[in-house]
Amino acid sequence: MKKIIIAIDGNSGCGKSTTAKEVARRLGYAYVDSGAMYRSVALYFLDHGIDHLNSEQVNTALEKIDIGFQVGTNGRSETFLNGKNVEGSIRDMRVSDHVSKVSTVPAIRRAMVALQRKMGSDRGIVMDGRDIGTVVYPDAELKIFLTASLEVRAKRRQAELAASGKDVVLGDIESNLSDRDHADSTRAESPLKKAEGAVEIDTSDITIEQQVSQVVGLANKIIASA
Ligand code: DC
């Protein structure tokens, strides 16, 4: 059966990762969280005192950074940075606050995009992020653009953080999300925008199950017609 690429883009907190993971599971496809890759770079930069505006430091650091994904004992895909599981630490607020700056650096984007394209060279992949349908895979057979209101997104992120034992006030999450929305959609390099041909789904008032079945339904139609 033909394998396709599914690109899922949208702002932080509209359920991209949850949807993408479950779509990948149902189709038996690989899942790549491209945001986790930028978060891993941001974590490395914070831990090693790398200045993202110093191109020499950035290039040297990029050569030392190895990012990969492995399915953990819980059956979920987890992020590894230089062999270490960083799935938890890349979600910390200090990384969330730094990642938007790091992800505006062209050399970093070039390195991540090259890695992302390599990961999808056999197709059969679901990748989520900001520029997957526009830059990484403009030829993806299925492109999805997810949206949701700021309030809904902040509440979801708060619940996610609480589930991993981190108590963060809603206002802090809202301002972090809205700062990142602004940075992600106004940056010069690969800004977040709806890709040509993308299907837009507003997830504010629908369940994850509804999101997932909508995307799987669209994917199956494309697969069947190939
Ligand atoms: O999806 P997320 O919140 O984990 O993404 C973290 C940051 O990485 C976000 O601020 C934007 C950036 N990002 C990006 O620039 N391009 C992507 N393809 C994915 C994420």
Side-chain angles (χ1 to χ4, degrees):
M1 201 181 302
K2 182 189 160 144
K3 289 196 163 187
I4 65 168
I5 290 184
I6 304 176
I8 303 185
D9 290 303
N11 284 123
S12 316
C14 30
K16 283 192 310 286
S17 304
T18 319
T19 305
K21 262 181 219 163
E22 184 55 17
V23 169
R25 199 189 63 77
R26 289 193 196 174
L27 295 172
Y29 279 16
Y31 163 65
V32 173
D33 174 353
S34 70
M37 298 169 69
Y38 290 97
R39 284 174 178 272
S40 299
V41 174
L43 175 66
Y44 185 95
F45 280 24
L46 285 170
D47 286 352
H48 293 82
I50 310 291
D51 175 3
H52 66 284
L53 298 175
N54 179 323
S55 56
E56 216 178 295
Q57 283 186 22
V58 168
N59 290 332
T60 310
L62 283 172
E63 280 172 21
K64 293 186 183 156
I65 292 177
D66 177 53
I67 300 168
F69 296 94
Q70 279 175 38
V71 177
T73 43
N74 55 8
R76 292 198 201 124
S77 165
E78 307 205 304
T79 313
F80 284 74
L81 169 61
N82 293 338
K84 189 175 162 216
N85 188 333
V86 291
E87 191 55 37
S89 43
I90 57 170
R91 316 281 162 196
D92 286 348
M93 287 299 272
R94 72 183 183 114
V95 175
S96 297
D97 285 337
H98 197 54
V99 64
S100 281
K101 287 178 221 134
V102 163
S103 62
T104 59
V105 179
I108 296 173
R109 298 207 71 84
R110 276 197 300 275
M112 293 304 112
V113 169
L115 198 54
Q116 287 152 8
R117 287 189 180 145
K118 215 160 124 192
M119 288 171 168
S121 56
D122 293 334
R123 303 192 100 73
I125 193 169
V126 184
M127 191 177 291
D128 73 347
R130 304 293 187 290
D131 60 341
I132 311 305
T134 51
V135 176
V136 181
Y137 294 122
D139 62 338
E141 289 83 353
L142 178 58
K143 299 176 192 175
I144 303 288
F145 191 73
L146 295 183
T147 61
S149 71
L150 181 65
E151 194 193 344
V152 166
R153 292 189 285 131
K155 284 191 177 149
R156 285 180 187 160
R157 186 51 57 103
Q158 189 184 41
E160 252 171 48
L161 289 166
S164 58
K166 292 167 194 151
D167 258 343
V168 185
V169 287
L170 197 63
D172 287 353
I173 299 176
E174 274 189 0
S175 63
N176 173 268
L177 283 177
S178 93
D179 286 353
R180 284 202 285 148
D181 284 357
H182 182 73
D184 291 346
S185 55
T186 56
R187 68 183 180 211
E189 191 80 14
S190 308
L192 170 69
K193 61 171 190 260
K194 187 176 160 183
E196 225 182 282
V199 178
E200 184 166 338
I201 304 175
D202 182 346
T203 73
S204 305
D205 300 311
I206 60 172
T207 62
I208 290 290
E209 176 52 37
Q210 287 169 316
Q211 282 170 228
V212 170
S213 31
Q214 215 169 320
V215 179
V216 170
L218 290 166
N220 279 333
K221 251 190 224 161
I222 295 168
I223 295 166
S225 70

